Amino acid sequence: MSRLFEPVTVGDVPLSNRIVMAPLTRNRAPNQVPSDLAVTYYRQRASAGLIVTEATPISPLGHGYLDTPGLHRDDQVAAWRRITDAVHAAGGRIAVQLWHVGRISHVSLLPEGEVPVSSTARAAQAKTFTRNGFEDVSAPRALRREEIAGIVEDYARAARRATDAGFDFVEVHAANGYLIEQFLRDSINDRDDDYGGSINNRTRLLHEVMRAVAGEIGGARTGVRLAPLKLAFVHVVEGSTGGPRDVAPFDYAALKRRFAGAWIVNNGYDRAMALQAVDSGAADLVAFGRPFIANPDLVRRLKEDLPLATPERRTMYGGGAAGYTDYPAWEAGAVRA
């Protein structure tokens, strides 16, 4: 039996196996509140050793896509609590991925009179999902130096709300071109204060956020999608999310050796790659994204080498139960093409 299917303890939390459900934005949270369908969706996938939720904004200004669930209001906490209770009742563990999109947003998705904020005032060449479909993102404004402490506090406050909502972990989203990475990248960050320029300055926001979150809920319950600190886990996207794994040469093994916590790898893994990664010691856990959409029982299918269903692209973003909670487990019917 591969180590992929063996239990593992991450931080101070025991997991039943080393398969992680990666964050998957599904745009099914009207008024930014997780729906009843989300309770079913996450419970169906609770056989994963760990579920990492869809990215979840920390504040009204952190939203950038239509109908994404937040974690900055009491009604959102109550809705997430129903989800974490359902996952725990099914024997699973669940982390929330805390998100601030920065400049990847549109004014129609933000409080009235607000524009996206970033490390820069330069607009991204990107689109986002609004009530009108996919639209160009709006031009941002650069955060003022005195505003940044408030962003850090938003992360800490969201982490507190996450514990109230019953999450086992918090994962800070510091990748994929969103706010924290907008500070990290010298190709985006054009600041001339102590949050721009040198590597130490560009990483300052990430360090402050991670210290604030870990200080709020403990390092053993804190993870990050990017950089190693004294945390429970690091969730690394190898290459470009949903794209090539070899965007740039990078020695992930060398980085892993410098981090004592759990190392979660992600991006385009299939069964054979996952078995090899864990059994060789290259990774402690493997995260799967899209395969979990159409295969709620993905752990069993990987363990028994059963065929995988293919998700329907037209139902990935927005909508109702179709393409969300209606994919059958192996016993429930034939594989859906």
Side-chain angles (χ1 to χ4, degrees):
M1 180 67 65
S2 169
R3 292 177 66 240
L4 183 66
F5 307 105
E6 293 180 355
V8 64
T9 297
V10 174
D12 59 7
V13 179
L15 309 182
S16 61
N17 58 66
R18 298 164 186 259
I19 296 169
V20 177
M21 178 177 165
L24 294 160
T25 295
R26 304 303 306 276
N27 304 95
R28 284 170 164 87
N31 196 30
Q32 302 173 352
V33 179
S35 67
D36 291 344
L37 281 175
V39 178
T40 302
Y41 173 74
Y42 284 112
R43 183 179 60 233
Q44 287 174 336
R45 290 151 179 84
S47 60
L50 177 65
I51 292 171
V52 183
T53 69
E54 58 208 283
T56 302
I58 60 171
S59 68
L61 200 56
H63 284 266
Y65 297 82
L66 181 68
D67 291 342
T68 52
L71 194 55
H72 48 84
R73 302 195 314 248
D74 290 347
D75 58 337
Q76 294 164 339
V77 172
W80 277 120
R81 185 79 208 201
R82 294 177 57 235
I83 292 169
T84 62
D85 285 349
V87 169
H88 291 151
R93 298 290 192 175
I94 185 167
V96 63
Q97 187 184 67
L98 298 184
W99 196 23
H100 193 305
V101 301
R103 67 179 186 163
I104 309 300
S105 188
H106 189 273
V107 292
S108 67
L109 302 170
L110 300 177
E112 186 174 356
E114 295 283 4
V115 299
V117 297
S118 181
S119 61
T120 180
R122 290 178 293 144
Q125 301 302 306
K127 292 184 180 293
T128 190
F129 187 51
T130 74
R131 296 199 182 280
N132 296 322
F134 284 95
E135 294 189 72
D136 291 338
V137 298
S138 301
R141 66 174 179 84
L143 281 162
R144 299 186 300 274
R145 173 66 176 76
E146 63 270 19
E147 291 180 289
I148 294 176
I151 298 289
V152 175
E153 175 53 31
D154 285 340
Y155 277 98
R157 187 181 299 111
R160 288 197 297 273
R161 289 182 177 276
T163 60
D164 293 341
F167 285 102
D168 299 292
F169 295 100
V170 161
E171 176 182 287
V172 173
H173 195 352
N176 301 113
Y178 298 115
L179 181 67
I180 293 178
E181 190 170 88
Q182 291 161 26
F183 276 80
L184 292 172
R185 285 190 176 272
D186 58 5
S187 60
I188 300 174
N189 186 337
D190 55 8
R191 305 178 71 89
D192 59 7
D193 60 12
D194 56 348
Y195 285 87
S198 70
I199 292 175
N200 285 343
N201 283 356
R202 297 199 315 272
T203 59
R204 191 181 306 277
L205 176 61
L206 174 61
H207 290 158
E208 290 179 351
V209 167
M210 298 313 300
R211 282 195 294 267
V213 171
E216 199 65 50
I217 65 173
R221 297 296 178 111
T222 302
V224 62
R225 202 178 205 195
L226 182 64
L229 301 166
K230 292 182 179 179
L231 307 173
F233 65 86
V234 168
H235 185 174
V236 176
V237 180
E238 297 180 339
S240 176
T241 299
R245 294 173 48 79
D246 56 351
V247 171
F250 193 87
D251 191 347
Y252 292 104
L255 188 57
K256 179 181 184 296
R257 288 193 295 270
R258 297 173 64 89
F259 178 64
W263 192 258
I264 304 174
V265 296
N266 182 319
N267 200 26
Y269 276 80
D270 59 20
R271 182 179 187 274
M273 292 165 63
L275 295 176
Q276 195 278 331
V278 171
D279 290 343
S280 70
D284 298 302
L285 302 96
V286 178
F288 294 85
R290 289 186 180 183
F292 261 113
I293 292 177
N295 302 276
D297 57 341
L298 181 64
V299 174
R300 181 191 173 192
R301 296 196 193 209
L302 292 173
K303 190 173 185 178
E304 299 180 18
D305 199 14
L306 298 170
L308 300 185
T310 302
E312 296 177 6
R313 177 169 288 277
R314 65 181 179 83
T315 57
M316 282 186 180
Y317 304 108
Y324 189 52
T325 57
D326 64 342
Y327 286 106
W330 180 255
E331 294 90 347
V335 173
R336 199 154 124 182

